[in-house]
Amino acid sequence: WGRGNGFAALGYCEALSYVPEDHPDRAPLLAMHQRHVEAMLACQHPSGMLREVLDFPGSYQEFTVTCMLAYAIARGMRRGWFDDRYRAALDLAWQGITERIDEAGGIVDACTNTGVQEDLRAYLDRPAVFGRDDRSGSFALWLALEMAQLRGEV
């Protein structure tokens, strides 16, 4: 499930942002985060997006998981957890995300609120939001701020 992995990536980011550099568990935590981001990037579509079900080709390209992964990479680059090799994947995700936001703030293909589902079919059948969505818009704003900070604009 894409967003389940996205929330894990956010959790790693937040933890790494606050765990002291000299904490004995920091290095293993960072290594887990880096492996997780690499695994997610292996599922990135040529459009820059990730899917609702990451490894299921028929699953739609989902907005919020892409925002969460891009945020994790942008923050990681800014904080030194990821190097410039991640820039192309980040830029591709940013392009895919910005192409899915209209001038009125509407979003294309953001999964509706989803808890743990019974099976793969239930994840595949989750409806997608077309229009305004506070949750998805918030993820896009988090990413936009992180991108601006990475570029030195704020």
Side-chain angles (χ1 to χ4, degrees), residues 6 8-9 24 27 42 44 81 87 90 125 140 143 151:
Q44 190 177 34
W81 311 330
R87 176 55 90 168
L90 173 60
D125 290 344
L143 172 57
R151 291 177 178 153

Side-chain angles (χ1 to χ4, degrees), residues 129-151:
V129 173
F130 291 88
R132 293 191 56 108
D133 183 64
D134 293 342
R135 178 182 25 84
S136 301
S138 296
F139 286 124
L141 288 172
W142 268 27
L143 172 57
L145 178 59
E146 200 60 51
M147 291 294 288
Q149 289 175 320
L150 180 61
R151 291 177 178 153

Side-chain angles (χ1 to χ4, degrees), residues 92-140:
L92 193 59
W94 178 245
Q95 178 181 332
I97 290 161
T98 58
E99 289 173 351
R100 286 164 176 81
I101 304 171
D102 68 24
E103 303 220 355
I107 305 294
V108 175
D109 281 343
C111 181
T112 60
N113 192 17
T114 304
V116 175
Q117 300 295 302
E118 293 285 323
D119 55 23
L120 174 62
R121 180 84 260 151
Y123 286 106
L124 293 173
D125 290 344
R126 296 302 300 158
V129 173
F130 291 88
R132 293 191 56 108
D133 183 64
D134 293 342
R135 178 182 25 84
S136 301
S138 296
F139 286 124

Side-chain angles (χ1 to χ4, degrees), residues 35-92:
R35 283 192 310 272
H36 184 237
V37 166
E38 284 287 334
M40 290 180 74
L41 281 175
C43 299
Q44 190 177 34
H45 188 272
S47 67
M49 302 297 287
L50 293 163
R51 292 182 175 91
E52 165 68 357
V53 178
L54 292 175
D55 60 352
F56 193 88
S59 182
Y60 67 87
Q61 296 174 43
E62 205 276 324
F63 185 86
T64 55
V65 65
T66 308
C67 287
M68 290 187 264
L69 176 62
Y71 173 88
I73 294 169
R75 172 158 298 181
M77 288 180 68
R78 191 168 62 81
R79 301 261 175 125
W81 311 330
F82 297 109
D83 60 31
D84 284 338
R85 289 176 294 153
Y86 292 82
R87 176 55 90 168
L90 173 60
D91 290 343
L92 193 59

